[in-house]
Amino acid sequence: MLSLIVFTPLVAAVLLLPWRGLPARAVSWIWIAVTGVEVAAVLALWWAYPGEGFAHEVDRPWIPGAGAGYHVGVDGLSLPLLALTTVVFAACAVYSLRRQRRPRQFAALFLALQTSCLGLFVALDLILFFVFFDLSIVGMYAVIAGWGHGPQARRSALTFFLYTFLGSLALLLGFIGLSVAARPHTFDMVALTRDPPTQGVAGALVLLAVLLGLAIKTPTFPFHTWLPPAHTDAPAAGSAVLAGILLKMGTYGFVRIAMPMLPDAWRRYAWAVVVVGVVSVLYGALVALAQTNFKRMVAYTSVNHMGYVVLAVGAAGLVAGSDAQARAVAVTGAVTQMVSHGLITSALFLLAGVLYDRGGTYQMDAYGGLAGDTPRFAALTAVAAFASLGLPGFSGFIAEFQIFAGSLGSAPVAVAFALPGVLITAALFLWALHRIFLGPARHRLSATADVTAAEIAAVLPLLALALLLGVFPRLLLDVVEPAARAVTDLVAR
Amino acid sequence: MNERPLALLPELLLLVGAVTTLLTGAFLPRGRQWVARLIAVGALLAAVLAALPAVGERSTVYAHSYALDPATTAARLLIPLAGLLVVGIAAGRVAGNRRETEFYVLTLLAVLGAVLLAGASDLLLLAVAYLLSSVPLAGLAGWGRDRRGAEAALKVYLMGALAGVGLLAGAALLIALGGGASDYDRLAAGLAGAPSPAVAVGVVGVLAGLLFKIGAVPGHFWVPDAVQGASIPAGALLTTVPKLGGLLAAYRLFAVAVPADVVDWPLLVAVLAAVTMTLGNFAAFGQADPRRLLAYSTVAQVGYLLMAVAVAGRAERALPALLVYLAGYAVTNLGAFAVLAAEPHDTLDDYLGLARRRPWLAAALAICLLGLVGTPPTAVFAGKLTVFTVAWDGGLAWLVVVAAVNTVASLFYYLRWLVPAYTPVGRCPAARDRDRPLAAVSVAAAGAALFGAAVTVPLYPLVAQTLQR
C-alpha cells in the first residue's frame, strides 16, 4: 500500500515522458488526477493509522552487501508530512494548468519529484532516505535549470545542486559512521534507534556530519546562501515544492535521525543547535525586512520559520532542568510548524508566481494600489501573509505558540531572543502588503490581471487547510503528540 | 600439483576464439568479415557460459599459481561481458574496415590477459599476464593507423614497457626475499621474516606495473592521450578491461601475498587512492574534449576503487564491495563511451540540444554521467556506498571524507557535459545517419547502470569474502 502510494507518481511520469502526441490539456488533467488520487490515498492511510508506532511497515533486503534494506513505514512524524507532500503537489498541478513551457516534461519531472519526496518521508532505512534525498536534489536542479526564469537561472541551479549535494555527502558520511559503529553493521533506522551505536568523540563527529547535511538542506544560518537565488529563479511551482517540501527534509531529519539515533551527542550539543536556531530566526527576519524583491523576501522568511523548528528541537535536547511534558510540546510544535509552513509558504510562492506572471517583476516598488484593481489576488495574498506572520486562527500560531511554550522551560534566554523574530516578520509582511497593494498605482495592470479560477483552486485549499488546522488543531496534534513524546523519551534516555 | 586443464576452460575458450577469429579473418573477403565478428562474440559468450559451472569453486590449480575463487569467477564473468559491450560499441564503426578482424582479435587477447591478471596467484604468472594484456592494448590504441593513434600506441607501449620493468624487477626481488617461492601462499610465509625495506622496494616495483595497468597515479599519464588518440571503442576497452583485471590483481597481491605487518602497504595504497581521485577530478575540470573528460573521470574512479584495495584483508566485506563497484563502474563507463560513440563530437558544446535531437541517447548520457557521480539509485552508487563503508570499517575514515569531497567536486565537470545536452536550442542540426544498434547499446548499458543497485541482491550469497590461497 505504502509503496504503491510512493511509486504511483513515478510510474505516471515514466508513462508520460515518451508519449509525444499527448496534448497539453490532457497532460495537465492526468497530472491533476494522479496527484488527486495520491491525496485521497494518504487520507485513507491517515484514517487507518492506529495512533501510535509504525504502520504499514515493509522490510526487504536491497543492498545486503552494505546492510541496506528497503524498509518503509509511517508514524505520527511522517504521516503529516506525507499528507502535506500530496497536498502541495496537487496544488502545484492545479496551478500549472495551461501555463508551462514543455508541459509534458514538466509534469513528468514533478511526478518523479513527488515520488522522491514521499519516499523520503516513509523511509525507515538510512540509505533509502539518502537515495530519495539525493534524487530530490537532482529533480529540483532540473526544475530550476530547465524552467527557471531570469538570466541567472542556470547559475542558481548549479549553486543549489553543488551546495545541497555537498550537504547530502556530509549526511552520507554521517550515515556510514552510524552504520560502521553498529554491530552488526546496519542502516536500518529502527534498529539504530533501538540501540544507538555511537558514543563519545565518534558520536560528536557523526552528529556534526549529520547536522551539517541537514542544516544545509533546512537551511539554517550560515548555510542558507543557496536558498534565495534558487527561489528567485525557480518557477512558481518549483519554489512552492522547494520551500514547502524539500526544506522539511532537513527538519524531518532532525526528529527522525539525529535526535533518536545520537541521543548522547544531541543532549551534549543541543545548546549549539538552539543558538543556530535563534540566529536563523533573527537573521532570516532581519534580512527579509531589507528585501525589495517579494519572492526573495518570502524565501528569507523561510529561513526565519525553519529557525523556530531548529530552536524547538534543540530545546528538546536540553534535558537538565526541564520536564518531559514541555519538551514533547516543543517537538510537537516543531512538527506542526513544518506542516504549517509547508502550506502557507507554498501558497505565498504560488501567489508570487501570479504576481510575476502579470507584472513581469518581483520588485515590490513596481506595484502599488493593486488592491483596487485585483481584489481577489489582494485578498488571497493578505490572508497568506497574515497566516505566515502567525495570526491566531491559523496553523502558524498554533505551531509557534507550542514551540515557545515548550522551549521556555529549558531555554528561556533563547526564547527571549527569538520572540522579536515574530514581531519583525509581522512588520515586514505588513510593509510588503502596503507596498504592493496600497497607495498610488505604479503599474499598468487592469482588472483582467486578477487571479484565475485555476489559481484560486490551487491556493485556496492550502490556506483553508492552514485555517482548519488553526481552528481545530486536534486533527493534527492527535497524531503528532504520541510520536513527539516518543522522540523526547528517546533523546532523554 | 592439481593439474586440471579443464579448470581453465573459460581462458582456453578465449584463446581458441582469438586464434580462430584471426585465421577466419585472414581468409575472408572484406565484405564478409562479420563472420569473424560472430566468432569473437561466440568466444566471449562461451567463456562466460563456461565460467558459470565454476561459480562455487574454491581451489588453486597448477601448483597454486592460479586461483579459482570468487574474485576469479567475477573476473571471468565481468571481463568477457565488458568485452561484449566493447564489441557492441565497435561493431558499427569498424565494420567494413580492412583491419576489422584485428580489432576483435586484440579485444579477445586483452580480455584474456585481464582475466589471467585477476586470477594469477603467482608472481611469475602475474608478469606473464601483465605482458599478455599490455601488448594488445598498444595494438588497439594504434588500430586506426592515424597520427594520433600512433601517438596513443607509442605512449601505451612505452609506459607499459617502463612499468613492466618495474613489475619484473619487483617480482624478482620479492621472490628472492621470499626464499625462492613465487606463489602467493608460500611467498607470504617467506616474506614474513624478510627485512621490511627490501620488501617495500619489491612491493613498490610490482605495484608500479599494476598502477600503470589500472591508470592510477603515477601511472596515469597514458590514459587521456590514449583515449583521445585511439578510436572510441578502443578507448572504452582501454579504460575498462585492464582496470578490472589490474584492480583484482592488486587486491589479491595485498590480501594474500604481502603481510601488512612487514610493509605498511595499506597507508601507501590509501595515499595513492587519495592522490589519484583528487588529480583525476581536478584535471577533468578544464577539459573541453569529452574523450579527455571521460579519460580523467576514469582516473578518478580508480581512486575510489583503490579504497577497497587499501583495506584488503582488513575489512570484512572489502572484496564484495570491490566487485560491486567494479561491475557498476564497468557498465556505467562503457555506457558513457557508447553514447560518445553514437554522438562523437570534439567539444562539449557540440552536444547542445542533444535532448531534443535524440532524447533516448540524452537520457542514457544523463544516467551514465550521474551514475559516475554516484547518484542513487545507480549501480556505481551501490559500489561507492559499499566501498565507503568498508574503507571506514577498515580504519580509513579520513580517506572516506576525502572521497566524499571529491565526489562533490566531480559533479561539476559531469554537469558541464550534461547541461549543454539538455539546453533547448531553436534549430536542430540536420540529423546525421544514425547508428541505431549503437544507440540501443547505450540505452541498454544505461539501463543496467540505473538498476544495477537493485539487481545486485541475488549476487551477494555468491561472493564469499575471502580469497583462495
Side-chain angles (χ1 to χ4, degrees), chain B residues 53-422:
Chain B
V55 161
E57 174 103 37
R58 303 184 55 76
S59 60
T60 56
V61 288
Y62 292 97
H64 301 295
S65 65
Y66 199 73
L68 303 175
D69 59 10
T72 310
T73 305
R76 282 171 163 183
L77 295 174
L78 276 180
I79 298 175
L81 285 175
L84 275 175
L85 269 177
V86 169
V87 173
I89 297 172
R93 295 174 63 86
V94 302
N97 191 299
R98 51 193 276 236
R99 292 188 304 282
E100 184 184 355
T101 310
E102 288 168 33
F103 189 94
Y104 301 131
V105 175
L106 290 172
T107 302
L108 282 173
L109 288 175
V111 166
L112 174 61
V115 172
L116 285 179
L117 262 182
S121 186
D122 180 298
L123 279 177
L124 295 179
L125 186 59
L126 183 74
V128 173
Y130 176 86
L131 293 175
L132 176 59
S133 74
S134 289
V135 176
L137 293 187
L140 275 173
W143 179 84
R145 286 211 196 161
D146 48 3
R147 255 185 56 229
R148 290 191 132 173
E151 187 193 334
L154 205 61
K155 275 217 162 115
V156 174
Y157 184 74
L158 288 180
M159 290 286 295
L162 185 65
V165 171
L167 183 128
L168 288 174
L173 186 57
L174 285 181
I175 291 173
L177 289 167
S182 65
D183 67 283
Y184 286 180
D185 191 23
R186 282 189 293 154
L187 192 66
L191 288 181
S196 58
V199 178
V201 172
V203 167
V204 168
V206 175
L207 196 56
L210 293 177
L211 289 177
F212 158 78
K213 189 104 302 202
I214 61 179
V217 172
H220 67 283
F221 292 105
W222 61 276
V223 180
D225 294 329
V227 171
Q228 193 184 17
S231 63
I232 292 170
L237 185 133
L238 284 171
T239 54
T240 313
V241 167
K243 283 192 207 301
L244 295 174
L247 278 160
L248 286 172
Y251 187 93
R252 190 184 293 282
L253 177 74
F254 287 123
V256 181
V258 187
D261 47 356
V262 179
V263 187
D264 190 9
W265 57 262
L267 183 66
L268 175 67
V269 178
V271 169
L272 283 173
V275 174
T276 302
M277 64 179 83
T278 312
L279 191 136
N281 277 328
F282 281 86
F285 268 14
Q287 303 302 332
D289 185 329
R291 281 170 293 186
R292 287 186 82 84
L293 188 146
L294 268 188
Y296 276 114
S297 114
T298 67
V299 173
Q301 298 288 334
V302 167
Y304 305 129
L305 282 159
L306 277 175
M307 293 167 71
V309 178
V311 292
R314 287 191 302 160
E316 201 184 334
R317 296 178 184 171
L319 183 61
L322 179 65
L323 293 179
V324 169
Y325 199 152
L326 275 178
Y329 163 74
V331 69
T332 314
N333 190 49
L334 288 174
F337 269 98
V339 175
L340 186 62
E343 276 279 324
H345 293 298
D346 283 337
T347 64
L348 297 176
D349 293 335
D350 291 338
Y351 286 86
L352 213 60
L354 181 68
R356 177 71 58 88
R357 264 179 294 145
R358 304 179 72 172
W360 287 99
L361 208 57
L365 183 70
I367 291 170
C368 288
L369 293 188
L370 287 177
L372 286 173
V373 177
T375 314
T378 58
V380 172
F381 164 70
K384 253 189 184 167
L385 174 67
T386 46
V387 165
F388 283 15
T389 311
V390 296
W392 190 308
D393 212 12
L396 293 174
W398 64 272
L399 188 58
V400 180
V401 175
V402 172
V405 173
N406 262 296
T407 302
V408 177
S410 73
L411 176 64
F412 178 72
Y413 62 82
Y414 290 119
L415 281 183
R416 280 189 54 214
W417 190 354
L418 275 184
V419 167
Y422 277 87

Side-chain angles (χ1 to χ4, degrees), chain A residues 127-175:
Chain A
I127 292 309
L128 201 61
F129 181 93
F130 176 78
V131 166
F132 289 121
F133 193 90
D134 240 25
L135 285 180
S136 75
I137 295 174
V138 176
M140 188 45 73
Y141 167 77
V143 169
I144 302 176
W147 283 269
H149 42 240
Q152 298 286 315
R154 275 168 188 283
R155 202 186 161 74
S156 305
L158 186 65
T159 311
F160 163 78
F161 200 167
L162 287 177
Y163 211 140
T164 49
F165 195 66
L166 179 71
S168 82
L169 262 293
L171 203 56
L172 182 63
L173 284 182
F175 290 174

